[in-house]
Amino acid sequence: MKVLLTALNAKYIHINLALKCLAKYCEEFKPQIKEYTINDNIDSIIANIHQQKADVVAFSCYIWSIEKILYISECLKKINPNVIIILGGHEVSYDADDIIKENSAIDYIIRMEGEKPLKELLKFIKYGGNIKDVPSITYRLGEEIVSNKLSEPVDMNEYEFMYGDEIKDYKGKIIYYESSRGCPYRCSYCLSSNTKKVNFLNVERVKKELMFFIENDVPLVKFVDRTFNADKKRANEIFKFIIENKKNTKFHFELAGNLIDDETIDILKTAPKDLIQFEIGVQSTNKETITAIGRNIEFEKIRENVKKILKLNTIHVHLDLIAGLPFEDYQTFKKSFDDVINIRAQMLQLGFLKLLKGSKIRNEYKKYNYKFKSKAPYEVISNDFITFDELIKLKNIENILDKYYNSGQFKYSIGFLFEKFESKFEIFEKISDYYLKNGFFEISVSYDTQYDILEKIFNIDGFSDCVKMDRMLNNKAKMKYEHSEEFKNKCFEFLKNEGNVKKYLSYFKESSPKKMYSLLRFEKLFGKVYMYDSKNSNLVDVTNDFIM
């Protein structure tokens, strides 16, 4: 019996962790793994899966892939009516009866945690037995649709490590790793709130497996643990281990910001720059909203702890907000936005509520008069507190936020504006309004145009120099030289001076002043003269050695 485990990932750089876990647990059946992306040609996917000549095809389903998977399954069944098709994952766990009823191509659906049920189901398919003994599956029994009892969660330590020598084939891809399942919080919008407890992998085993990644020079390991520091002592021990064994691998964690303590900060002080990345969900700072979604996390504690981390200047922090939550209207969201962006983390992600199947907030959608899209990803359309027009406006602001803040290409410009505007939200709102008015959301806008737009919107003394500095530091932007012949001559005089070259540009090795000038950018900004070497990302203040 040939078994194929497959999925449509959101991006090429992703590795599907679920498939690897399932393949390892069902190793006796020697399953093959084939991964595609939602951007691949769907006819090519169908042809490729068919050419594997598998007897059983099992799909891992997500909100971004379910529609295509159902269509692919239908086609595969028409091509070969004997192929057995299995679906699994959260996206099919909560309405398995309906999916089986509406999609005749699907033979079985595995609900919730999949390793043990898939193994038992494959045994049944190959050797026979009593189908009712296979846990967590939904299937047809004659005209009836039957859902067997859910399997009890398996201790994670019973599962084997899912990576091996194939790690060398994953160059350029993100490696996902799971050291716990479940979450201690009960946020109404999140499926992890359905778990009864957090299931932890033994910390010594975690260290051993992380060492495997480090020794294999994996560029980035992303922990998928919903709340990595749910057990603070355990988290601190792992942080310490990573720092002590630092090499070339970076590690990304999702943390609860309120659980960070002084001991954690003391450990993180010893981390080198860029070894560790944190993603911390805030979602809203409106107390009524926080209570309604069952989060009950004090924002002041998150702010205090994140600022301590940022002060270290070695860890990249990514904060999250969600638009469309209960009791969060446009104005209160504006306040949440300002509260969070004032922390000045490197990245702020503005997300939009998705009413996921099985989530509490979807089950009680009538309570707040939610309207949401009927197809995945089930994004909010409106509720009692916010209109669709307001959400569209926030979508545009999200676009601007990514361009002008999260990209990191407007550090000086945005920093200047932050000092001038009490509400930071209004900065991005103004840029968004300008884009909308001029049709810029409908076209690709170059960095050069983005800088020009800023100068047109914000006509403030001193701002132009900030924009010029950002433009100079952006290697993808074209510097608009407006220098006089006199200034150009002074640049050449500076480069002809052997002392200056030795002091600032010794690595150029006997290059002529003309050659160096073609590779450098000089700009008079803030009353000083700056020289930027884009190839080496080297910015220096040369005022003292520049003949003014």
Side-chain angles (χ1 to χ4, degrees), residues 28-29 31 60 82 89 258 260 301 329 350 363 378 396 436 464 509 528 541:
E28 65 185 87
F29 295 98
S60 181
N82 295 320
N258 58 305
I260 298 165
K301 189 66 177 173
D329 60 21
L350 198 172
N363 293 335
Y378 319 110
N396 289 339
L436 187 63
S464 181
K509 294 181 181 178
K528 297 180 178 181
D541 175 358

Side-chain angles (χ1 to χ4, degrees), residues 115-130:
E115 288 94 337
K116 185 177 179 181
L118 179 61
K119 187 174 185 177
E120 294 303 313
L121 180 56
L122 293 177
K123 284 181 181 177
F124 168 78
I125 293 169
K126 185 170 184 178
Y127 304 115
N130 190 344

Side-chain angles (χ1 to χ4, degrees), residues 497-543:
N497 186 301
E498 291 183 7
N500 292 336
V501 173
K502 186 176 182 181
K503 182 176 180 180
Y504 299 107
L505 301 162
S506 58
Y507 52 87
F508 267 96
K509 294 181 181 178
E510 300 181 3
S511 295
S512 68
K514 185 177 180 181
K515 175 68 173 175
M516 287 188 285
Y517 182 78
S518 69
L519 299 171
L520 299 168
R521 296 180 179 183
F522 286 88
E523 198 68 43
K524 189 175 180 181
L525 302 168
F526 317 114
K528 297 180 178 181
V529 177
Y530 289 90
M531 179 181 69
Y532 181 60
D533 175 1
S534 59
K535 185 177 181 181
N536 296 287
S537 298
N538 185 30
L539 175 72
V540 289
D541 175 358
V542 297
T543 308

